[in-house]
Amino acid sequence: MTERIEFKDIRHIIHVAVILLVVIAGFIIARSASVPKSFGQYGHYRGRSIEERMNLPVVFQSIQTCLDCHEEESGEVWVGSEYWQEGVHSVNACENCHSKCKEHVERMKANPDLKEFVITKDTSDKLCLTCHGILAARPKVPEPYDHKKHLEEHNMKDGQRCIECHVPHYPAI
Amino acid sequence: MKVSRRDLLKRACLLVPAGAVVLSRRLLGAGDKAPKKKYSLKGHKYTFIVDTRKCIGCGACVRACKLENEVPKGFFRTWVERYTIGKDSKVTVDSPDGALHGFQELESVPLTEVAKAFFVPKLCNHCSDPPCVPVCPVGATYQSPDGVVLTDPNYCIGCAYCIQACPYGVRFKNPDTRTADKCTWCYHRITRGLLPACVEACPTGARQFGDVADPDSPTAKVLHSERVDVLRKELGTDPKVCYIGLDTEVR
């Protein structure tokens, strides 16, 4: 014995199917509206985010950037010269002692004849001592250094600044 | 020379594509400039090496990082810790202001009482199996195809699950953007072929960075000649920051 399916039964199925379709369509529309386009491009995240990260600006300047312009002996300080290259501070990024380097580079590139500088020159002993002061935890390279003893040894009065005897760009004497 | 209307039209039609080619080369900058080599997300194996024996605790890296990434006051993407082990075996760990201004002599442990002491720079380990990524409910933190763990500040909802999940404590909630923030190995620099700012600033070579997919790179050479370790290996996160000269006290 077979059951007969009447047309009025099929109508119920169509109703359910239509509702289901509307729900699915609604979900797809809502999803495509709320999920960013690049989501899932590489994985479960916004693929464009990678590009956004890559396009952030570079601020801290490499030594090479500075040397592009300061290649020759520059005044008293020997930056970029043979001395500097062989000196112990050639591994020391310029920006460790000079700040606002990015602004300086941009300004000098735009107008090399400027005579007003935004870049700073930190001439304090404090700066030298962040790297050279004696600390128990500090390894022996560079030679940890006792300012007071140092000055006594060299017969100098207290308060004489490091850069009066050491050229910051070529400090070894 | 007489040119029929038909010929003129014909030539004009030929001129249009020719002009288009010239113009497009102009606009795209081809011809006079070598095309900029596009960064490929594939085939990289970045590794960061920290040689704790060389770190002098000057804090140049911390200052460079702050400058480069506009890290808000009081928060750090990288910092330097000082471990002081006294003659009584007591361990003192300190990091005054993340070493932003370097270190002063430790007052609580006099110099004569110090058995050994050393500095340990810390940063995101960019784990190969990062615990911070799967906990994100929206997919705002992820591992890029080149293996760098990044955050998406434009998509982050600031729930801070990832900050809880990180066993190394390298994540923080940026008070300005109210989103999760952390070291990216200066992704914008390394994808341009530059070094991370902290590596650039380090005056002693205590921080080294490179792509060890190239076995001849200096980083690969160090990795293959020195004895390296990672932090908290037992967690199985497989960090990509390798340390030389770690002590058992370092967590």
Side-chain angles (χ1 to χ4, degrees), chain A:
Chain A
M1 196 183 118
T2 51
E3 268 184 59
R4 290 195 56 221
I5 299 174
E6 306 255 333
F7 177 67
K8 72 181 202 317
D9 297 329
I10 290 176
R11 259 178 53 196
H12 288 297
I13 296 173
I14 290 174
H15 274 165
V16 172
V18 166
I19 290 170
L20 206 66
L21 274 178
V22 167
V23 168
I24 291 174
F27 175 76
I28 290 173
I29 291 167
R31 190 177 185 280
S32 64
S34 60
V35 174
K37 249 208 192 107
S38 67
F39 202 94
Q41 188 183 355
Y42 303 109
H44 188 70
Y45 57 92
R46 243 165 27 97
R48 253 197 73 76
S49 158
I50 292 187
E51 214 175 296
E52 288 166 13
R53 280 284 165 188
M54 280 182 191
N55 290 338
L56 292 177
V58 170
V59 182
F60 195 85
Q61 303 294 316
S62 66
I63 296 178
Q64 196 49 53
T65 317
C66 312
L67 293 187
D68 284 348
C69 293
H70 295 276
E71 56 194 336
E72 292 297 313
E73 297 190 17
S74 98
E76 293 284 309
V77 295
W78 305 338
V79 174
S81 69
E82 266 170 60
Y83 290 110
W84 177 82
Q85 277 163 23
E86 289 162 13
V88 283
H89 268 185
S90 61
V91 287
N92 215 338
C94 315
E95 197 145 9
N96 286 349
C97 303
H98 298 284
S99 42
K100 299 209 174 163
C101 287
K102 187 185 162 91
E103 289 95 316
H104 172 69
V105 171
E106 280 166 3
R107 276 165 55 103
M108 296 326 269
K109 274 196 179 143
N111 182 3
D113 298 327
L114 279 180
K115 284 285 166 247
E116 273 170 38
F117 305 108
V118 287
I119 195 161
T120 62
K121 296 181 281 188
D122 189 343
T123 56
S124 69
D125 290 1
K126 213 174 130 222
L127 175 74
C128 312
L129 293 174
T130 54
C131 293
H132 289 290
I134 283 195
L135 293 176
R138 190 155 278 172
K140 298 291 171 261
V141 174
E143 195 68 44
Y145 142 86
D146 184 341
H147 190 39
K148 245 200 161 127
K149 195 167 139 243
H150 192 56
L151 293 180
E152 276 165 17
E153 266 172 16
H154 296 291
N155 252 336
M156 294 320 292
K157 54 180 185 296
D158 213 10
Q160 189 150 10
R161 294 187 321 180
C162 313
I163 59 160
E164 286 176 42
C165 300
H166 295 280
V167 178
H169 304 139
Y170 185 77
I173 292 178

